[in-house]
Amino acid sequence: MKEKIIYFDNAATTVTDEEAAEYACRMMREVYANPSSAHSFGFEAEKHLKEARENVLHALGYTSRDGDVVFTSCGTESDNMALFGAAKAKRRRGNRIVISDSEHPAVENAAKELETQGFELIRIPTRGGKIDLDFAASQINEKTVLVSCMTVNNETGAQYDLQSLSEITRRNAPNAYFHTDAVQGFTKVRNISAFDADLISVSGHKIHAPKGVGALFIKKGVRVPSLLYGGGQEGGLRSGTEAMPSICAFGLAARRASDEQSEREAHFAVLNSYLREKIARETDGVIINSGTEGFAKHIVSIALPGIRSEIMLRYLSERGIYVSAGSACSSKKADNRVLSNFGLSEKEADSTLRISFSKYNTTCEIDALTENIKQGMTTLQRVGK
Ligand code: PLP
């Protein structure tokens, strides 16, 4: 790894916490039994698995009385399990699927695939980071089998009014499942359980657990068919021997994040307003796309008029400072769907950077970031890029 980097790309992924990494190693080297094995070593592994499940449930605000957690390989798999599972379970009840127009590709592309299979796909506008509840109420009806809206947008930090959307869904579409992709909101947004979602997707690597593990919360009484056939692990929903090292590390990271949620929230709030003030005071013409009300504090989207984001990204990266252009998933492709639906022009979207915090970032790092953005703007504008 490079010496002394400044990492502001935590919405793309986070560093694995030391204690989570150590726990993963212990599961590989010491408690390596298969949790399905019928001997005492297997039972020991099973206890760790149970604890990880309880930790993730707890971090979501639930206990095992409310529902269960199925461990998956990532947030994308959880989203796919939710969408294809719900569609398959409810196919006879209707054919309308309603999602927001700014979903991550894991939901957007799964929904598009369902459209090719005969479902009618409706997208609710989210201009300015606000979900259009009137439009939602006019489109969610008794033919609707699934409503899916993310908790926090990965590109802008917009936090959608899921409480109201959930109420509309329950009122207008008694047959529908309500799903939220909480990959960016998990342990950062309070009261996810208050949204009364049937299905919630989360991912480990956004909260200081290793990559390659996610989970889908399934509310008690909600039935989704399995998409994998095999040994029947994870309550029959996700066959395949559980990835114990990553799952246990995920459980521990989730427990820490929920225990420290207030502290981390306060830290993100400080970093967020510090960055805003620095940008307003010290840079010229930089636009802050993310609002202050109704936006999560750990993601700030900014536009640098006249400078394409990948040019600034490269400039910063050469100086050991890492941010993202839009979202990590779309940054290598010219896809401004989310930013354009947010209300940005093509030019603004092309010059947008995403700065995302973790508990490890400091205000000194923000000083270095803004200083380098300032210098970059002068240098890059001078050479006419
Ligand atoms: N959903 C959202 C909102 C995300 O930000 C991401 C990843 O960036 C995903 C889903 C996919 O998660 P994973 O990388 O674990 O597949």
Side-chain angles (χ1 to χ4, degrees):
M1 196 169 97
K2 281 187 196 166
E3 288 294 294
K4 211 171 163 304
I5 63 162
I6 296 182
Y7 187 75
F8 280 121
D9 199 13
N10 293 284
T13 198
T14 57
V15 62
T16 301
D17 270 342
E18 212 165 296
E19 61 170 353
E22 278 165 10
Y23 190 13
C25 280
R26 191 149 74 83
M27 294 309 293
M28 279 188 272
R29 300 289 304 157
E30 294 171 26
V31 196
Y32 52 84
N34 189 320
S36 300
S37 288
H39 45 63
S40 60
F41 197 20
F43 300 153
E44 192 187 341
E46 196 189 11
K47 264 198 226 155
H48 287 265
L49 180 59
K50 184 164 178 270
E51 191 182 318
R53 219 183 288 291
E54 283 166 0
N55 281 339
V56 173
L57 275 169
H58 172 80
L60 281 166
Y62 292 118
T63 69
S64 54
R65 281 194 301 276
D66 304 308
D68 214 344
V69 148
V70 173
F71 285 111
T72 62
S73 66
C74 56
T76 300
E77 186 186 331
S78 305
D79 284 339
N80 275 260
M81 187 183 269
L83 267 81
F84 288 104
K88 202 169 166 190
K90 297 280 188 173
R91 181 142 226 165
R92 293 220 192 111
R93 302 294 191 110
N95 76 333
R96 178 171 282 201
I97 289 174
V98 179
I99 65 172
S100 89
D101 70 356
S102 50
E103 294 299 312
H104 185 274
V107 167
E108 164 71 21
N109 290 341
K112 275 206 312 222
E113 171 56 28
L114 285 168
E115 196 177 22
T116 69
Q117 295 177 16
F119 285 91
E120 181 193 14
L121 178 57
I122 307 284
R123 293 180 185 82
I124 315 169
T126 55
R127 209 169 169 80
K130 285 202 166 49
I131 185 126
D132 185 337
L133 292 170
D134 290 336
F135 184 79
S138 73
Q139 297 299 315
I140 298 173
N141 59 20
E142 66 288 345
K143 281 193 346 204
T144 307
V145 291
L146 174 70
V147 175
S148 177
C149 180
M150 67 210 310
T151 313
V152 169
N153 186 271
N154 50 304
E155 299 195 36
T156 62
Q159 200 177 315
Y160 302 115
D161 182 358
L162 292 191
Q163 188 99 41
S164 303
L165 188 63
S166 162
E167 283 163 18
I168 291 169
T169 305
R170 299 297 178 221
R171 201 170 48 238
N172 292 10
N175 289 322
Y177 280 154
F178 183 63
H179 166 249
T180 184
D181 170 344
V183 167
Q184 296 292 348
F186 183 44
T187 72
K188 284 154 187 145
V189 164
R190 291 200 170 248
N191 299 330
I192 291 187
S193 55
F195 305 149
D196 187 30
D198 298 302
L199 301 157
I200 306 174
S201 306
V202 295
S203 176
H205 71 108
K206 312 289 187 183
I207 63 157
H208 303 290
K211 290 152 194 61
V213 60
L216 181 68
F217 167 78
I218 304 178
K219 193 166 89 176
K220 200 162 220 114
V222 168
R223 300 263 167 272
V224 283
S226 168
L227 306 176
L228 286 185
Y229 296 88
Q233 288 90 343
E234 295 297 291
L237 280 173
R238 214 277 184 172
S239 285
T241 302
E242 284 91 350
M244 293 296 286
S246 311
I247 288 173
C248 292
F250 182 23
L252 183 61
R255 165 63 69 170
R256 283 285 171 271
S258 60
D259 289 350
E260 294 169 9
Q261 187 158 348
S262 306
E263 251 168 71
R264 292 190 194 181
E265 264 174 13
H267 184 61
F268 294 148
V270 167
L271 296 177
N272 188 299
S273 49
Y274 191 80
L275 175 66
R276 285 171 185 278
E277 278 163 29
K278 288 271 306 179
I279 285 178
R281 208 170 344 111
E282 297 180 20
T283 63
D284 199 15
V286 175
I287 299 161
I288 303 179
N289 301 324
S290 309
T292 45
E293 288 300 311
F295 285 75
K297 300 285 183 243
H298 63 292
I299 297 176
V300 183
S301 169
I302 63 171
L304 316 169
I307 300 179
R308 304 209 27 221
S309 46
E310 68 261 32
I311 307 281
M312 181 57 89
L313 189 133
R314 199 174 333 127
Y315 179 89
L316 293 173
S317 152
E318 282 161 2
R319 286 150 185 83
I321 300 175
Y322 301 109
V323 298
S324 182
S327 80
C329 307
S330 61
S331 61
K332 291 193 183 113
K333 297 174 227 148
D335 173 15
N336 289 329
R337 168 182 59 89
V338 172
L339 294 176
S340 146
N341 291 339
F342 183 75
L344 299 192
S345 67
E346 205 179 315
K347 271 199 169 152
E348 286 165 336
D350 280 345
S351 69
T352 286
L353 290 182
R354 177 185 68 182
I355 297 151
S356 48
F357 307 130
S358 83
K359 59 178 176 165
Y360 295 112
N361 289 122
T362 63
T363 49
C364 290
E365 289 179 326
I366 292 179
D367 290 340
L369 171 71
T370 34
E371 190 51 39
N372 277 279
I373 288 179
K374 232 164 47 182
Q375 284 169 10
M377 284 177 78
T378 317
T379 314
L380 299 171
Q381 271 165 357
R382 211 173 35 231
V383 296
K385 291 202 172 157

PDB file of all heavy atoms in Angstrom, residues 186-203:
ATOM      1  N   PHE A 186     -27.059   1.937   5.953  1.00  0.00           N
ATOM      2  CA  PHE A 186     -26.917   1.003   7.074  1.00  0.00           C
ATOM      3  C   PHE A 186     -25.910   1.517   8.102  1.00  0.00           C
ATOM      4  O   PHE A 186     -24.772   1.822   7.734  1.00  0.00           O
ATOM      5  CB  PHE A 186     -26.471  -0.351   6.522  1.00  0.00           C
ATOM      6  CG  PHE A 186     -26.362  -1.441   7.559  1.00  0.00           C
ATOM      7  CD1 PHE A 186     -27.341  -1.624   8.527  1.00  0.00           C
ATOM      8  CD2 PHE A 186     -25.285  -2.312   7.560  1.00  0.00           C
ATOM      9  CE1 PHE A 186     -27.245  -2.634   9.475  1.00  0.00           C
ATOM     10  CE2 PHE A 186     -25.173  -3.333   8.488  1.00  0.00           C
ATOM     11  CZ  PHE A 186     -26.154  -3.488   9.453  1.00  0.00           C
ATOM     12  N   THR A 187     -26.364   1.647   9.334  1.00  0.00           N
ATOM     13  CA  THR A 187     -25.611   2.167  10.483  1.00  0.00           C
ATOM     14  C   THR A 187     -25.309   3.672  10.371  1.00  0.00           C
ATOM     15  O   THR A 187     -24.601   4.213  11.205  1.00  0.00           O
ATOM     16  CB  THR A 187     -24.291   1.397  10.773  1.00  0.00           C
ATOM     17  OG1 THR A 187     -23.331   1.695   9.768  1.00  0.00           O
ATOM     18  CG2 THR A 187     -24.494  -0.088  10.902  1.00  0.00           C
ATOM     19  N   LYS A 188     -25.857   4.304   9.355  1.00  0.00           N
ATOM     20  CA  LYS A 188     -25.655   5.749   9.216  1.00  0.00           C
ATOM     21  C   LYS A 188     -26.975   6.485   9.364  1.00  0.00           C
ATOM     22  O   LYS A 188     -27.007   7.630   9.795  1.00  0.00           O
ATOM     23  CB  LYS A 188     -25.026   6.060   7.869  1.00  0.00           C
ATOM     24  CG  LYS A 188     -23.537   5.699   7.894  1.00  0.00           C
ATOM     25  CD  LYS A 188     -22.964   5.384   6.580  1.00  0.00           C
ATOM     26  CE  LYS A 188     -21.546   4.885   6.717  1.00  0.00           C
ATOM     27  NZ  LYS A 188     -21.230   3.858   5.735  1.00  0.00           N
ATOM     28  N   VAL A 189     -28.060   5.825   8.959  1.00  0.00           N
ATOM     29  CA  VAL A 189     -29.384   6.422   9.080  1.00  0.00           C
ATOM     30  C   VAL A 189     -30.089   5.746  10.237  1.00  0.00           C
ATOM     31  O   VAL A 189     -30.035   4.528  10.384  1.00  0.00           O
ATOM     32  CB  VAL A 189     -30.171   6.175   7.764  1.00  0.00           C
ATOM     33  CG1 VAL A 189     -31.648   6.414   7.953  1.00  0.00           C
ATOM     34  CG2 VAL A 189     -29.615   7.046   6.663  1.00  0.00           C
ATOM     35  N   ARG A 190     -30.732   6.564  11.060  1.00  0.00           N
ATOM     36  CA  ARG A 190     -31.442   5.998  12.220  1.00  0.00           C
ATOM     37  C   ARG A 190     -32.773   5.413  11.811  1.00  0.00           C
ATOM     38  O   ARG A 190     -33.348   5.792  10.798  1.00  0.00           O
ATOM     39  CB  ARG A 190     -31.700   7.105  13.232  1.00  0.00           C
ATOM     40  CG  ARG A 190     -30.400   7.503  13.810  1.00  0.00           C
ATOM     41  CD  ARG A 190     -30.459   8.197  15.098  1.00  0.00           C
ATOM     42  NE  ARG A 190     -29.084   8.244  15.517  1.00  0.00           N
ATOM     43  CZ  ARG A 190     -28.614   7.583  16.549  1.00  0.00           C
ATOM     44  NH1 ARG A 190     -29.392   6.851  17.290  1.00  0.00           N
ATOM     45  NH2 ARG A 190     -27.330   7.656  16.849  1.00  0.00           N
ATOM     46  N   ASN A 191     -33.264   4.510  12.635  1.00  0.00           N
ATOM     47  CA  ASN A 191     -34.639   4.006  12.505  1.00  0.00           C
ATOM     48  C   ASN A 191     -34.966   3.372  11.167  1.00  0.00           C
ATOM     49  O   ASN A 191     -36.053   3.588  10.636  1.00  0.00           O
ATOM     50  CB  ASN A 191     -35.661   5.131  12.753  1.00  0.00           C
ATOM     51  CG  ASN A 191     -35.522   5.675  14.146  1.00  0.00           C
ATOM     52  OD1 ASN A 191     -35.129   4.936  15.048  1.00  0.00           O
ATOM     53  ND2 ASN A 191     -35.824   6.942  14.318  1.00  0.00           N
ATOM     54  N   ILE A 192     -34.051   2.624  10.597  1.00  0.00           N
ATOM     55  CA  ILE A 192     -34.386   1.937   9.345  1.00  0.00           C
ATOM     56  C   ILE A 192     -35.580   1.015   9.602  1.00  0.00           C
ATOM     57  O   ILE A 192     -36.447   0.855   8.746  1.00  0.00           O
ATOM     58  CB  ILE A 192     -33.157   1.167   8.801  1.00  0.00           C
ATOM     59  CG1 ILE A 192     -32.108   2.179   8.319  1.00  0.00           C
ATOM     60  CG2 ILE A 192     -33.548   0.215   7.667  1.00  0.00           C
ATOM     61  CD1 ILE A 192     -30.927   1.619   7.608  1.00  0.00           C
ATOM     62  N   SER A 193     -35.657   0.473  10.810  1.00  0.00           N
ATOM     63  CA  SER A 193     -36.758  -0.446  11.108  1.00  0.00           C
ATOM     64  C   SER A 193     -38.119   0.276  11.085  1.00  0.00           C
ATOM     65  O   SER A 193     -39.151  -0.348  10.867  1.00  0.00           O
ATOM     66  CB  SER A 193     -36.539  -1.134  12.449  1.00  0.00           C
ATOM     67  OG  SER A 193     -36.363  -0.177  13.454  1.00  0.00           O
ATOM     68  N   ALA A 194     -38.108   1.608  11.276  1.00  0.00           N
ATOM     69  CA  ALA A 194     -39.373   2.352  11.276  1.00  0.00           C
ATOM     70  C   ALA A 194     -39.986   2.431   9.872  1.00  0.00           C
ATOM     71  O   ALA A 194     -41.158   2.775   9.726  1.00  0.00           O
ATOM     72  CB  ALA A 194     -39.143   3.756  11.814  1.00  0.00           C
ATOM     73  N   PHE A 195     -39.222   2.098   8.843  1.00  0.00           N
ATOM     74  CA  PHE A 195     -39.774   2.140   7.481  1.00  0.00           C
ATOM     75  C   PHE A 195     -40.696   0.955   7.204  1.00  0.00           C
ATOM     76  O   PHE A 195     -41.321   0.885   6.163  1.00  0.00           O
ATOM     77  CB  PHE A 195     -38.655   2.160   6.422  1.00  0.00           C
ATOM     78  CG  PHE A 195     -37.653   3.276   6.605  1.00  0.00           C
ATOM     79  CD1 PHE A 195     -36.332   3.105   6.219  1.00  0.00           C
ATOM     80  CD2 PHE A 195     -38.041   4.486   7.167  1.00  0.00           C
ATOM     81  CE1 PHE A 195     -35.399   4.127   6.390  1.00  0.00           C
ATOM     82  CE2 PHE A 195     -37.117   5.513   7.341  1.00  0.00           C
ATOM     83  CZ  PHE A 195     -35.797   5.329   6.954  1.00  0.00           C
ATOM     84  N   ASP A 196     -40.698   0.015   8.129  1.00  0.00           N
ATOM     85  CA  ASP A 196     -41.546  -1.167   8.001  1.00  0.00           C
ATOM     86  C   ASP A 196     -41.311  -1.883   6.652  1.00  0.00           C
ATOM     87  O   ASP A 196     -42.260  -2.288   5.983  1.00  0.00           O
ATOM     88  CB  ASP A 196     -43.026  -0.757   8.155  1.00  0.00           C
ATOM     89  CG  ASP A 196     -43.935  -1.973   8.210  1.00  0.00           C
ATOM     90  OD1 ASP A 196     -43.475  -3.029   8.684  1.00  0.00           O
ATOM     91  OD2 ASP A 196     -45.094  -1.879   7.753  1.00  0.00           O
ATOM     92  N   ALA A 197     -40.044  -2.005   6.274  1.00  0.00           N
ATOM     93  CA  ALA A 197     -39.727  -2.669   5.002  1.00  0.00           C
ATOM     94  C   ALA A 197     -39.851  -4.181   5.167  1.00  0.00           C
ATOM     95  O   ALA A 197     -39.600  -4.719   6.247  1.00  0.00           O
ATOM     96  CB  ALA A 197     -38.321  -2.308   4.562  1.00  0.00           C
ATOM     97  N   ASP A 198     -40.252  -4.832   4.086  1.00  0.00           N
ATOM     98  CA  ASP A 198     -40.305  -6.299   4.081  1.00  0.00           C
ATOM     99  C   ASP A 198     -38.919  -6.867   3.831  1.00  0.00           C
ATOM    100  O   ASP A 198     -38.594  -7.965   4.295  1.00  0.00           O
ATOM    101  CB  ASP A 198     -41.251  -6.781   2.978  1.00  0.00           C
ATOM    102  CG  ASP A 198     -42.664  -6.286   3.213  1.00  0.00           C
ATOM    103  OD1 ASP A 198     -43.211  -6.600   4.281  1.00  0.00           O
ATOM    104  OD2 ASP A 198     -43.194  -5.563   2.348  1.00  0.00           O
ATOM    105  N   LEU A 199     -38.141  -6.115   3.043  1.00  0.00           N
ATOM    106  CA  LEU A 199     -36.828  -6.602   2.615  1.00  0.00           C
ATOM    107  C   LEU A 199     -35.835  -5.439   2.665  1.00  0.00           C
ATOM    108  O   LEU A 199     -36.158  -4.341   2.184  1.00  0.00           O
ATOM    109  CB  LEU A 199     -36.918  -7.121   1.173  1.00  0.00           C
ATOM    110  CG  LEU A 199     -37.916  -8.264   0.921  1.00  0.00           C
ATOM    111  CD1 LEU A 199     -38.332  -8.308  -0.552  1.00  0.00           C
ATOM    112  CD2 LEU A 199     -37.298  -9.600   1.327  1.00  0.00           C
ATOM    113  N   ILE A 200     -34.667  -5.679   3.248  1.00  0.00           N
ATOM    114  CA  ILE A 200     -33.644  -4.615   3.346  1.00  0.00           C
ATOM    115  C   ILE A 200     -32.286  -5.194   2.936  1.00  0.00           C
ATOM    116  O   ILE A 200     -31.839  -6.198   3.490  1.00  0.00           O
ATOM    117  CB  ILE A 200     -33.529  -4.074   4.795  1.00  0.00           C
ATOM    118  CG1 ILE A 200     -34.900  -3.609   5.324  1.00  0.00           C
ATOM    119  CG2 ILE A 200     -32.518  -2.938   4.871  1.00  0.00           C
ATOM    120  CD1 ILE A 200     -34.881  -3.203   6.803  1.00  0.00           C
ATOM    121  N   SER A 201     -31.640  -4.520   1.976  1.00  0.00           N
ATOM    122  CA  SER A 201     -30.310  -4.975   1.532  1.00  0.00           C
ATOM    123  C   SER A 201     -29.212  -4.174   2.222  1.00  0.00           C
ATOM    124  O   SER A 201     -29.302  -2.943   2.308  1.00  0.00           O
ATOM    125  CB  SER A 201     -30.130  -4.737   0.025  1.00  0.00           C
ATOM    126  OG  SER A 201     -31.166  -5.314  -0.705  1.00  0.00           O
ATOM    127  N   VAL A 202     -28.181  -4.871   2.662  1.00  0.00           N
ATOM    128  CA  VAL A 202     -27.008  -4.202   3.237  1.00  0.00           C
ATOM    129  C   VAL A 202     -25.729  -4.885   2.729  1.00  0.00           C
ATOM    130  O   VAL A 202     -25.792  -5.985   2.166  1.00  0.00           O
ATOM    131  CB  VAL A 202     -27.041  -4.212   4.792  1.00  0.00           C
ATOM    132  CG1 VAL A 202     -28.202  -3.386   5.326  1.00  0.00           C
ATOM    133  CG2 VAL A 202     -27.117  -5.621   5.360  1.00  0.00           C
ATOM    134  N   SER A 203     -24.608  -4.202   2.933  1.00  0.00           N
ATOM    135  CA  SER A 203     -23.338  -4.736   2.429  1.00  0.00           C
ATOM    136  C   SER A 203     -22.225  -4.479   3.440  1.00  0.00           C
ATOM    137  O   SER A 203     -22.202  -3.414   4.072  1.00  0.00           O
ATOM    138  CB  SER A 203     -23.017  -4.049   1.093  1.00  0.00           C
ATOM    139  OG  SER A 203     -21.767  -4.470   0.613  1.00  0.00           O
TER     140      SER A 203
END
